[in-house]
Amino acid sequence: MFRDIITDVFFDLDHTLWDFEKNSALTFDKIFQDNNIGIALPDFLEVYIPANFAFWKLFREGKITKEALRYERLKSVFDDLKYQVSDETIHTLSEDYITHLSSFNHLFPNAISILDYLKPNYKLHIITNGFQEVQGKKLKNSNIHGYFDQVIDSEMAGVKKPDPIIFNLALNRANARPETSLMIGDNLEADILGAQAAGYHALHFNAHQGPKHDFCQIIDDLDEIKSFL
């Protein structure tokens, strides 16, 4: 479908190549043990995962700061679970989480094989809303940094996806044109609609088993990219 027109493929990182939920769960397991937090991990994650999505949406929209995101997503979950924890401990957990998150490096199935498949024929890049201090470590520690010519993050751009500024910056840095560029990501609002508004083609990796839509083609496994490129 895109094989004859695409020169540059832009990937989201978290929830698309890097298995955020699995790595995040392993990180919480470690830091809860290190800090003697007496909450069963499944109970915590059941509340935390949707809360984290909600706070990230607020962060993308510029409604909260990075510091508020890191504090409030934990504070709200402990409050919901009625678990008493001091602000000092929340701040410690927040710092420990960022410190250790990139030490766990599970990728989605077929991530490496699809990058190997694409690399000889396309220029590959990353556009991520993640924090610069963490995303570089994720790429290096999971041994995929060498696949990408350009890595654009929201701190570098000064805005977050779906703002067209970050997509245009990525095009400029990659010396690419939107009509020959493809964005692959998991988030419909940030990755797909944002990229399309900037003129990119888009392919939605349905990592969260979300509802079907007609905005673009949808894949459930990264290996399905071979059907398009």
Side-chain angles (χ1 to χ4, degrees):
M1 178 178 179
F2 299 120
R3 192 167 287 115
D4 297 329
I5 61 173
I6 295 301
T7 61
D8 292 74
V9 180
F10 295 81
F11 280 95
D12 176 46
L13 182 58
D14 295 336
H15 307 285
T16 300
L17 294 172
W18 198 82
D19 192 339
F20 181 89
E21 300 303 351
K22 179 180 288 187
N23 295 320
S24 179
L26 291 168
T27 304
F28 277 119
D29 186 45
K30 172 179 173 49
I31 67 174
F32 278 13
Q33 291 186 49
D34 290 347
N35 291 278
N36 299 310
I37 302 299
I39 295 179
L41 187 62
D43 294 339
F44 173 83
L45 292 175
E46 184 178 1
V47 181
Y48 174 81
I49 290 173
N52 188 45
F53 273 109
F55 279 108
W56 264 99
K57 186 174 189 301
L58 293 174
F59 179 67
R60 283 199 309 272
E61 295 169 350
K63 295 178 179 177
I64 59 172
T65 64
K66 176 173 70 173
E67 291 73 23
L69 164 68
R70 291 178 172 180
Y71 173 81
E72 293 294 344
R73 64 184 176 184
L74 293 176
K75 172 67 172 172
S76 68
V77 175
F78 288 130
D79 287 348
D80 284 349
L81 294 173
K82 296 179 172 54
Y83 185 81
Q84 296 294 319
V85 60
S86 68
D87 279 353
E88 181 181 2
T89 298
I90 291 176
H91 286 299
T92 297
L93 289 170
S94 176
E95 291 300 320
D96 286 355
Y97 179 80
I98 297 302
T99 297
H100 294 290
L101 181 60
S102 59
S103 64
F104 297 97
N105 293 289
H106 292 278
L107 300 173
F108 274 96
N110 298 313
I112 294 293
S113 63
I114 199 60
L115 293 174
D116 283 335
Y117 171 82
L118 294 172
K119 184 63 175 174
N121 298 307
Y122 305 94
K123 291 193 296 180
L124 307 182
H125 317 284
I126 293 286
I127 309 177
T128 174
N129 275 353
F131 304 126
Q132 194 168 31
E133 67 199 87
V134 179
Q135 301 305 78
K137 291 180 182 178
K138 291 177 183 176
L139 289 166
K140 289 180 181 178
N141 292 344
S142 57
N143 294 315
I144 61 173
H145 63 288
Y147 288 98
F148 302 104
D149 292 352
Q150 297 294 329
V151 177
I152 309 301
D153 64 73
S154 55
E155 290 187 317
M156 174 194 304
V159 297
K160 296 169 281 292
K161 296 178 291 185
D163 193 304
I165 289 175
I166 192 170
F167 290 102
N168 291 331
L169 174 63
L171 292 173
N172 290 335
R173 291 285 296 266
N175 194 26
R177 294 179 293 124
E179 61 269 23
T180 59
S181 297
L182 174 68
M183 179 71 197
I184 302 173
D186 70 288
N187 189 286
L188 177 60
E189 176 188 12
D191 297 317
I192 304 309
L193 300 182
Q196 288 178 330
Y200 292 56
H201 302 277
L203 189 60
H204 189 186
F205 176 45
N206 191 20
H208 314 292
Q209 291 78 54
K212 301 299 181 183
H213 59 78
D214 297 321
F215 292 107
C216 68
Q217 295 288 330
I218 302 172
I219 59 173
D220 297 305
D221 188 297
L222 293 174
D223 195 58
E224 295 177 56
I225 294 172
K226 294 176 182 178
S227 300
F228 300 90
L229 292 170

